[in-house]
Amino acid sequence: MSALSPHELSASDLDSAAALAEIGKIAVTDLSAWARAIDEGTYPATLLHRFADAGAFRLHLGEGHRLGSAIEGMSRISEVCTSTGFMAWCQNTLVWYLINSENAAAKAKYLAAAATGHVLGGTALSNPMKSFFGIETLKLKGTRVDGGYKVKGILPWVSNLGPDHFFGAIFAVDGAEPVMALIDCADPAVTLKPCEPFLSMDGTGTYGVQVRDLFVPDDMVLAHEAMAFVKKMRAGFILLQAGMAIGLMRDAVAMMREVEGPLGHVNRFLETQPDALAETLAGIEAEVNALAETPYDTSPEYWRRVVAARLLAGEKSVEAAHNAMLHCGARGYVRAHRCQRRLREAYFVAIVTPATKQLRLMLDQMPA
């Protein structure tokens, strides 16, 4: 576990520009060589630690917790491999939970470790984010006991996990508000079960999680009132996901331009051209960067912009990858070409919680 304290991390003089440059360098060299293996199911723990060493999971620890640099770091990773970009989002979100927790004991014990990659982990908020909008009920149930909670239940999908990883989870408590806490996968009361193979993202350490009478001590509780906690950190949770979309769209533009020489004479008849897609991407980046400056804005107008930006990013990711495939043609349709992988990854950006349909539901429920 890291020797750095949360205070030392927050006050550190991490050079964001240098960190981003190193993250990009690792992505275009080592990650590009691993991307196909990751797509086929290899969990890249070594690479995640390298990104951690470069500062990828502590770019949002500075004054005001502005998220722009963290999003850009994930964008550079996702430009090569969105599976790894998703794992970076899981890790950055785990750090975001700890940043926003008011439990000093949890922060002292886990924040530095998560931010430096000594502890890896995931988010487990897919089910709770759906439950808060009436789509599902909470799948984990907890009971207050002396010094903490006893928790049980099953979560169908939690990512960036392993036998020594942690994840943030929310569980219902009879007669009280739902509680959010960290769960340690090394505890014998926690069982990780492999999932059915996915269309993509098989290398993301995604498991079904079974929890049997797990004792969660108070020093692992992130918030005894989860609803208020989620409202505080929800904008950051969603905005950080934009890194996946931005990186994927950048590569879609790049693939379209790569074939302009041999195929431009016929590709010019396609409706979507790389310059137009690049313009759309620039608009998304500008909006996300502006929103990332004030992640604690509580105004309804700001929240609507966050949800709308995330919706647009997901929809345009699919559109970008689709058009990259049309531009690449048969050469992009073979298994060895990254174009077909990017298309599969783009669908994940559109369906990961909050998915396109949930984002539309959320917008529909907001005051006009």
Side-chain angles (χ1 to χ4, degrees):
M1 194 170 287
S2 173
L4 291 174
S5 72
H7 173 73
E8 288 170 328
L9 278 174
S10 297
S12 69
D13 57 351
L14 179 68
D15 184 329
S16 295
L20 289 171
E22 182 63 17
I23 291 165
K25 180 180 176 182
I26 295 168
V28 299
T29 54
D30 293 7
L31 180 56
S32 61
W34 277 60
R36 186 168 180 181
I38 294 167
D39 184 52
E40 293 173 350
T42 299
Y43 179 74
T46 301
L47 276 177
L48 292 176
H49 286 299
R50 287 202 61 199
F51 283 125
D53 291 342
F57 310 134
R58 55 192 180 104
L59 286 163
H60 50 341
L61 282 171
E63 184 179 354
H65 302 305
R66 296 179 177 88
L67 300 174
S69 293
I71 292 169
E72 177 58 21
M74 285 183 286
S75 297
R76 296 189 186 194
I77 295 170
S78 297
E79 199 167 344
V80 174
C81 173
T82 305
S83 289
T84 307
F86 172 55
M87 288 180 274
W89 173 77
C90 291
Q91 188 71 23
N92 270 314
T93 302
L94 179 62
V95 174
W96 185 241
Y97 296 162
L98 286 157
I99 286 171
N100 285 285
S101 176
E102 295 182 0
N103 186 339
K107 293 178 83 161
K109 193 171 182 179
Y110 299 109
L111 176 56
T116 56
H118 287 68
V119 163
L120 296 178
T123 72
L125 252 65
S126 177
N127 164 245
M129 290 289 281
K130 293 172 185 173
S131 74
F132 295 157
F133 291 90
I135 299 171
E136 295 181 354
T137 59
L138 285 172
K139 296 184 181 296
L140 296 183
K141 312 295 182 184
T143 303
R144 184 64 170 160
V145 295
D146 187 32
Y149 296 86
K150 276 290 184 77
V151 180
K152 62 182 178 181
I154 297 174
L155 296 170
W157 298 294
V158 185
S159 298
N160 202 37
L161 294 190
D164 58 351
H165 293 197
F166 286 69
F167 62 92
I170 292 176
F171 50 86
V173 179
D174 285 342
E177 286 276 338
V179 172
M180 185 165 180
L182 293 178
I183 290 179
D184 184 355
C185 293
D187 194 295
V190 178
T191 302
L192 304 184
K193 296 191 172 184
C195 298
E196 288 289 322
F198 296 113
L199 179 67
S200 186
M201 319 303 283
D202 268 343
T204 59
T206 300
Y207 295 89
V209 180
Q210 187 170 44
V211 181
R212 290 192 182 95
D213 292 324
L214 170 72
F215 175 65
V216 177
D218 284 333
D219 66 2
M220 293 180 71
V221 171
L222 296 169
H224 289 283
E225 296 184 355
M227 294 289 285
F229 182 73
V230 168
K231 189 171 183 179
K232 175 184 177 183
M233 62 84 184
R234 64 185 182 180
F237 176 96
I238 290 176
L239 287 171
L240 285 165
Q241 291 183 339
M244 293 186 283
I246 290 168
L248 192 151
M249 290 182 68
R250 286 178 186 166
D251 194 38
V253 172
M255 287 187 289
M256 293 165 76
R257 287 181 169 151
E258 284 169 10
V259 296
E260 281 182 323
L263 298 175
H265 63 292
V266 64
N267 280 347
R268 66 189 181 91
F269 293 102
L270 291 171
E271 184 176 359
T272 300
Q273 295 297 313
D275 286 350
L277 184 57
E279 185 176 343
T280 298
L281 172 58
I284 291 172
E285 289 192 68
E287 175 70 350
V288 167
N289 286 333
L291 294 168
E293 284 291 306
T294 56
Y296 299 119
D297 188 334
T298 59
S299 69
E301 295 79 13
Y302 174 81
W303 178 231
R304 175 177 281 277
R305 284 177 63 192
V306 168
V307 174
R310 174 63 181 85
L311 174 63
L312 183 65
E315 291 180 334
K316 292 301 179 180
S317 292
V318 175
E319 181 181 321
H322 167 73
N323 280 285
M325 178 65 78
L326 296 183
H327 277 254
C328 289
R331 67 188 68 192
Y333 198 64
V334 299
R335 193 174 294 273
H337 199 286
R338 73 187 192 278
C339 190
Q340 54 80 27
R341 171 170 61 85
R342 303 329 297 260
L343 182 59
R344 289 184 283 109
E345 290 174 337
Y347 281 112
F348 178 78
V349 178
I351 66 173
V352 66
T353 302
T356 298
K357 55 192 174 185
Q358 181 174 347
L359 291 162
R360 290 191 173 276
L361 168 66
M362 291 162 67
L363 287 173
D364 184 69
Q365 291 180 350
M366 291 181 190

